[in-house]
Amino acid sequence: MATVSAPRGMRDFLPAEKARREHALAVIRRVYRRFGFDEIETPVLENYDRLHSGLGGDNEKISFSVLKRGIGADELRAAAENDDLASLTDLGLRFDLTVPLARYYATHRAELPSVFRSVQIAPVWRAERPQKGRYRQFVQSDIDIIGEAGILAEIELIGATTEVLRELGVTGTRVRINDRRLITGMLEAFGFTPEEFSGVLITIDKLDKIAATGVIAELRERGVTAPAIDALAAFLETEQAAGEFSAEAIAARLPEGVDPEVIAELAQIGASVEGELVFDPFLVRGMGYYTGAIFEIEHTDFGYALGGGGRYDGMIGRFLGQDVPAVGFSIGFERIVDLIEANAEDAEESLVLIYDRNVEPAALVALKNEVAAAGTRVRLDKRAKNFRALLERAAEAGYTAYATVTAETTRASDLDVKPLGTAESAG
Amino acid sequence: MATVSAPRGMRDFLPAEKARREHALAVIRRVYRRFGFDEIETPVLENYDRLHSGLGGDNEKISFSVLKRGIGADELRAAAENDDLASLTDLGLRFDLTVPLARYYATHRAELPSVFRSVQIAPVWRAERPQKGRYRQFVQSDIDIIGEAGILAEIELIGATTEVLRELGVTGTRVRINDRRLITGMLEAFGFTPEEFSGVLITIDKLDKIAATGVIAELRERGVTAPAIDALAAFLETEQAAGEFSAEAIAARLPEGVDPEVIAELAQIGASVEGELVFDPFLVRGMGYYTGAIFEIEHTDFGYALGGGGRYDGMIGRFLGQDVPAVGFSIGFERIVDLIEANAEDAEESLVLIYDRNVEPAALVALKNEVAAAGTRVRLDKRAKNFRALLERAAEAGYTAYATVTAETTRASDLDVKPLGTAESAG
């Protein structure tokens, strides 16, 4: 069967799973639209040069590239002689939705509002080594506010995404928040040198996994400024549990000398957001392009984030050649869709019509259309020898009732509708 | 600006257009689901060999191919030496939804109902020369019934698609229908030889464009059996307008000797379908894989079809190595989305909140959340010097009302909501 499966690391969706995904997508679209975000769409392919302009970080290396059309023997030979594989490709599959957004904004800025709230819900592709829970095609759900330099943007993003989770029925989450400028201030206060920052952050980012002792050990191994490591170690020992969300409480959890204006800004975000928000001075988030507030949705039951984002002024305007303020929040769609109720959509009325061979197709379809016109989801199934198995399959497909159709029952009002899922009623 | 546009022949969608597309997609999904079809999804990439197995006809030649990952200098040189470009690619973007469906069915048949009604609504890619109304990425909307050999399948497909068009508000359409076996019978009756059939059909398919005289002239040029051309010419002169849909009426519009059982089957389809159905003995449809009934949605105002399909037993089972009956109906999504009402979705309540600089972000977002919680679509806009222009842009984005927010109006009940679209009310 290997020869007839989907490509490596990519998935087919069976009806039940597809219905669940579409339900989640519809909720996400509905909520973000209500919160004033405008959905946009870009082609899945972007020009190769755009995808390899440096904005994509390591993802550029694992992108899928598309062969130029009409490559002749000469062009192929020239590529081989120059060992220039890139000369054979002009397009690639997007690996995120941020590079396309920057490109889209550069193309269409004149047609968009001065503060533009975008939604993108779409697949991206990465040629990663396939492993459990990691796919080569997966859906990202991003919202971004472009053109708003103030914290209004952060507050709106967090509020809208919190509501999305609520309406999807995902409970047990809270938002961890920090600010890139606080991290920098903290590292400075401990005595790390600016050249050491990015290496130190990679280690600190592992705090959840390897704990304080692991972080300190790894830093000593790295050989960064020793007194700074000592200061961090002492700080980690006294690090207090998260408390109320105020400027005082935030300052109390940071070394002295960190910019009070940034602290005040963060406190104001915290005071404005509904739902649980936690200040985490060690929240780093990987992407190097963040410039201000950063946040992550954590779920009390899982070791991974359900989403995250932050302010990344300076990136969206790259293709325009000017700075444009921007904040983004991305939901981990593939993780979230696994958490929501399997049959969330099946509050709908549904009915399976089981018919005998001797019923006329015309009568059968007229009956089906009559039921569907009343708003009921309806499927025709030919009576099978194993009637019970037939009913079980229909129940698995999310149908909640059935009725048998004979040559005599040709109107909806003639039907004897029985609930599905009670195997005893089969016969 | 050329350097920051979408790739050649591919489109970005601005918010208004994207909203219209999502509205159409939601209606299509809702109706097909109600009519018992199950949506599925496959990856946009399929293995290169599957895409080039002959099932895709000419589309195989205009497909986009993806470079293998990790191609080294040696592999590139070997490809050049053997002039074997295909050795550098292992995947391609799908060019239709039928080849992926055949692959999907081969992979998952054991998990699907014995009669499987599938919906696929998804983009496909073709490297065609870009021209007006023809894109390199476009959405197809296909339904297929697999495993049902009887005309029940044709009736269900036509009925569900007719209802989709009705709920989208597309009027002025009717379905033209024919049967591949009637065409073959007709060509035989005229005296064409089986070897001439496919060439003759290519010419007959142009009847709408070049009329009867053009068809006859082209056939004479082709040099096919002359008495057969004479018979066709005579038949075309007496060809009657479409009348009632009965076996007698169909037989009267065909030369003698055409299989009466096929005629009876077609008449039964006609009798079972609601909505206008027209028998067209010269409807050919291009794809060579059709084996039975074929149909096309025509719109009285346009020279092109809005969709079409037919029975293609024998193709879906190809990757399984066995015959499986199948009928499909594809909607021309890109054409239909241009026909529907621009603001079909805007029956929703909506409100733009225009705020002054001195309103606190926290108060502003709390107000926005209060309005959104009541189900209203709401957007924040900073007060601009050109107030009128601001209101016009909001109206273009589909908002129907606005209110100004000051430091004093921090509850929804304090707002003075005014309708949008009346420029006089600006001030």
Side-chain angles (χ1 to χ4, degrees):
Chain A
M1 286 296 269
T3 51
V4 289
S5 57
R8 201 168 109 89
M10 299 178 183
R11 292 166 294 169
D12 290 327
F13 295 109
L14 288 165
E17 180 66 9
K18 176 65 173 168
R20 190 147 61 125
R21 293 173 73 85
E22 287 300 323
H23 165 71
L25 291 171
V27 171
I28 295 170
R29 290 206 155 90
R30 186 184 71 215
V31 175
Y32 281 144
R33 182 176 172 84
R34 215 168 68 219
F35 278 77
F37 290 81
D38 291 325
E39 190 172 357
I40 61 164
E41 185 184 325
T42 65
V44 308
L45 297 173
E46 289 283 345
N47 288 322
Y48 181 89
D49 294 343
R50 292 281 151 212
L51 290 177
H52 294 81
S53 59
L55 293 188
D58 285 347
N59 289 332
E60 295 188 2
K61 294 179 207 146
I62 50 170
S63 66
F64 288 94
S65 298
V66 169
L67 271 176
K68 283 183 189 168
R69 280 66 58 208
I71 292 173
D74 289 350
E75 196 172 347
L76 180 54
R77 210 174 306 114
E81 277 163 16
N82 303 321
D83 191 18
D84 184 8
L85 192 63
S87 71
L88 299 178
T89 170
D90 57 349
L91 299 167
L93 287 159
R94 62 177 171 229
F95 45 75
D96 70 15
L97 301 176
T98 308
V99 172
L101 179 63
R103 202 271 308 149
Y104 180 97
Y105 192 72
T107 313
H108 300 288
R109 191 176 50 152
E111 304 157 88
L112 299 171
S114 57
V115 174
F116 179 48
R117 296 170 182 83
S118 82
V119 187
Q120 295 181 90
I121 312 172
V124 302
W125 291 264
R126 295 181 190 169
E128 289 187 283
R129 200 168 57 81
Q131 49 179 296
K132 196 178 169 322
R134 184 163 283 192
Y135 307 105
R136 291 184 155 199
Q137 172 179 332
F138 60 96
V139 167
Q140 285 198 330
S141 168
D142 284 15
I143 52 172
D144 295 87
I145 299 185
I146 303 175
E148 170 61 61
I151 60 166
L152 184 62
E154 280 86 346
I155 302 169
E156 280 199 72
L157 288 178
I158 297 171
T161 298
T162 303
E163 181 62 16
V164 163
L165 292 176
R166 207 185 63 77
E167 297 200 22
L168 282 171
V170 176
T171 55
T173 64
R174 57 183 194 174
V175 176
R176 292 198 295 163
I177 192 167
N178 196 8
D179 191 298
R180 268 294 162 100
R181 294 163 297 176
L182 292 184
I183 301 178
T184 310
M186 186 170 73
L187 296 185
E188 268 169 9
F190 291 140
F192 292 106
T193 65
E195 303 76 51
E196 293 173 342
F197 284 2
S198 77
V200 171
L201 285 181
I202 289 171
T203 301
I204 288 182
D205 204 11
K206 300 180 192 167
L207 188 59
D208 280 350
K209 285 187 189 119
I210 62 178
T213 50
V215 165
I216 298 302
E218 186 170 310
L219 288 177
R220 295 211 193 277
E221 213 167 285
R222 275 179 185 268
V224 290
T225 310
I229 303 178
D230 297 339
L232 171 62
F235 181 78
L236 283 170
E237 274 177 26
T238 63
E239 166 65 1
Q240 305 151 12
E244 56 163 340
F245 207 108
S246 66
E248 293 73 30
I250 293 171
R253 299 183 60 207
L254 288 169
E256 277 184 36
V258 174
D259 189 344
E261 281 190 32
V262 178
I263 293 175
E265 212 175 281
L266 200 57
Q268 209 187 340
I269 294 175
S272 310
V273 169
E274 293 169 30
E276 196 176 357
L277 200 69
V278 187
F279 168 59
D280 178 355
F282 295 103
L283 176 68
V284 173
R285 287 194 62 76
M287 300 306 278
Y289 53 64
Y290 289 120
T291 58
I294 48 179
F295 26 82
E296 211 165 85
I297 309 168
E298 71 172 9
H299 191 287
T300 45
D301 294 350
F302 305 98
Y304 48 75
L306 292 183
R311 180 169 284 279
Y312 59 108
D313 296 346
M315 181 169 162
I316 284 293
R318 202 75 67 84
F319 296 138
L320 275 172
Q322 64 182 74
D323 269 9
V324 177
V327 198
F329 204 147
S330 182
I331 297 180
F333 179 79
E334 303 294 343
R335 285 171 175 175
I336 282 170
V337 86
D338 284 341
L339 295 180
I340 63 175
E341 281 294 309
N343 289 315
E345 199 162 26
D346 289 331
E348 68 195 351
E349 292 269 314
S350 59
L351 180 65
V352 173
L353 295 175
I354 299 167
Y355 63 95
D356 290 319
R357 284 217 160 274
N358 63 351
V359 186
E360 282 294 313
L364 210 45
V365 176
L367 180 61
K368 177 190 168 191
N369 292 352
E370 187 190 347
V371 174
T376 300
R377 177 186 175 207
V378 57
R379 181 163 97 181
L380 295 175
D381 262 337
K382 207 179 292 180
R383 176 180 280 272
K385 279 206 182 124
N386 192 337
F387 194 72
R388 194 159 298 199
L390 180 71
L391 297 185
E392 279 165 12
R393 277 202 311 277
E396 278 166 28
Y399 287 88
T400 54
Y402 75 99
T404 54
V405 182
T406 65
E408 285 72 47
T409 50
T410 53
R411 302 278 313 171
S413 53
D414 300 334
L415 294 172
D416 179 17
V417 177
K418 294 174 185 158
L420 257 176
T422 54
E424 302 87 291
S425 62
Chain B
M1 288 294 269
T3 51
V4 288
S5 57
R8 199 167 111 89
M10 298 177 184
R11 293 167 292 170
D12 288 328
F13 295 109
L14 287 164
E17 179 67 7
K18 177 64 175 167
R20 189 148 58 126
R21 293 173 73 85
E22 287 300 324
H23 165 71
L25 291 172
V27 171
I28 296 170
R29 289 206 156 89
R30 186 184 71 216
V31 175
Y32 282 143
R33 182 175 171 84
R34 216 168 67 219
F35 277 78
F37 289 82
D38 291 325
E39 191 172 357
I40 61 163
E41 185 184 326
T42 66
V44 310
L45 298 173
E46 288 283 346
N47 288 322
Y48 182 89
D49 293 342
R50 292 281 153 211
L51 290 177
H52 294 81
S53 59
L55 293 187
D58 285 348
N59 289 331
E60 295 189 2
K61 295 179 207 145
I62 51 171
S63 67
F64 288 94
S65 299
V66 169
L67 270 176
K68 284 183 189 169
R69 280 67 59 206
I71 293 173
D74 288 350
E75 197 173 346
L76 181 53
R77 207 174 310 115
E81 277 164 16
N82 303 321
D83 192 17
D84 183 9
L85 193 63
S87 71
L88 299 178
T89 170
D90 57 348
L91 299 167
L93 286 159
R94 62 175 170 230
F95 45 75
D96 70 15
L97 301 177
T98 308
V99 173
L101 180 62
R103 203 271 308 148
Y104 180 96
Y105 191 72
T107 313
H108 300 289
R109 192 178 49 154
E111 303 157 88
L112 299 171
S114 57
V115 174
F116 179 48
R117 296 169 182 82
S118 82
V119 188
Q120 293 181 92
I121 311 172
V124 302
W125 292 264
R126 295 181 190 171
E128 290 188 282
R129 201 169 57 80
Q131 50 180 295
K132 195 176 170 325
R134 184 163 284 194
Y135 307 105
R136 291 184 155 199
Q137 173 179 332
F138 60 97
V139 167
Q140 285 199 330
S141 168
D142 285 14
I143 50 172
D144 294 87
I145 299 185
I146 303 174
E148 171 61 61
I151 60 167
L152 183 63
E154 280 87 345
I155 302 170
E156 280 199 73
L157 288 177
I158 297 172
T161 298
T162 303
E163 181 63 16
V164 163
L165 292 176
R166 207 186 63 76
E167 297 200 22
L168 283 171
V170 176
T171 54
T173 64
R174 57 182 196 174
V175 175
R176 293 197 295 163
I177 193 166
N178 196 9
D179 192 297
R180 268 293 163 98
R181 294 163 295 176
L182 292 184
I183 302 177
T184 309
M186 185 171 73
L187 296 185
E188 269 170 8
F190 291 140
F192 292 106
T193 65
E195 303 75 51
E196 293 172 341
F197 284 1
S198 78
V200 170
L201 285 181
I202 289 171
T203 301
I204 288 183
D205 204 13
K206 301 180 190 166
L207 187 60
D208 280 350
K209 286 187 188 116
I210 61 177
T213 50
V215 165
I216 298 302
E218 187 171 308
L219 288 178
R220 294 211 193 280
E221 214 167 285
R222 275 182 187 267
V224 289
T225 310
I229 303 178
D230 296 339
L232 171 62
F235 181 77
L236 282 170
E237 273 178 27
T238 60
E239 167 65 0
Q240 305 152 14
E244 56 164 337
F245 207 106
S246 66
E248 293 72 29
I250 293 171
R253 298 181 61 208
L254 288 169
E256 277 182 37
V258 175
D259 189 344
E261 281 189 32
V262 177
I263 294 175
E265 211 175 283
L266 200 58
Q268 208 188 342
I269 294 174
S272 311
V273 169
E274 291 168 31
E276 196 176 355
L277 200 69
V278 187
F279 169 59
D280 178 354
F282 294 103
L283 176 68
V284 173
R285 290 195 60 77
M287 302 306 279
Y289 52 64
Y290 289 120
T291 57
I294 49 180
F295 26 82
E296 209 165 85
I297 308 169
E298 73 172 9
H299 191 288
T300 45
D301 293 351
F302 305 97
Y304 48 74
L306 291 183
R311 180 170 285 278
Y312 59 109
D313 296 345
M315 182 170 162
I316 284 293
R318 201 75 67 87
F319 295 137
L320 275 173
Q322 64 182 77
D323 269 10
V324 177
V327 198
F329 203 148
S330 183
I331 298 179
F333 179 80
E334 303 294 342
R335 286 172 173 174
I336 282 171
V337 85
D338 284 343
L339 295 180
I340 63 174
E341 281 295 310
N343 290 316
E345 199 162 25
D346 289 332
E348 67 195 351
E349 291 270 315
S350 59
L351 180 65
V352 174
L353 295 176
I354 299 167
Y355 63 96
D356 291 317
R357 282 219 161 273
N358 63 352
V359 186
E360 283 294 314
L364 209 47
V365 176
L367 181 61
K368 178 190 166 190
N369 291 351
E370 187 189 346
V371 174
T376 300
R377 177 186 174 206
V378 57
R379 180 164 97 181
L380 295 176
D381 261 337
K382 208 180 292 180
R383 177 179 278 274
K385 280 207 181 121
N386 192 337
F387 194 73
R388 194 158 301 201
L390 180 69
L391 296 185
E392 279 166 14
R393 277 203 312 277
E396 278 166 32
Y399 287 88
T400 54
Y402 76 98
T404 54
V405 182
T406 65
E408 285 73 47
T409 49
T410 53
R411 301 277 314 170
S413 52
D414 299 335
L415 294 172
D416 179 17
V417 176
K418 294 174 184 159
L420 259 175
T422 55
E424 302 89 290
S425 62

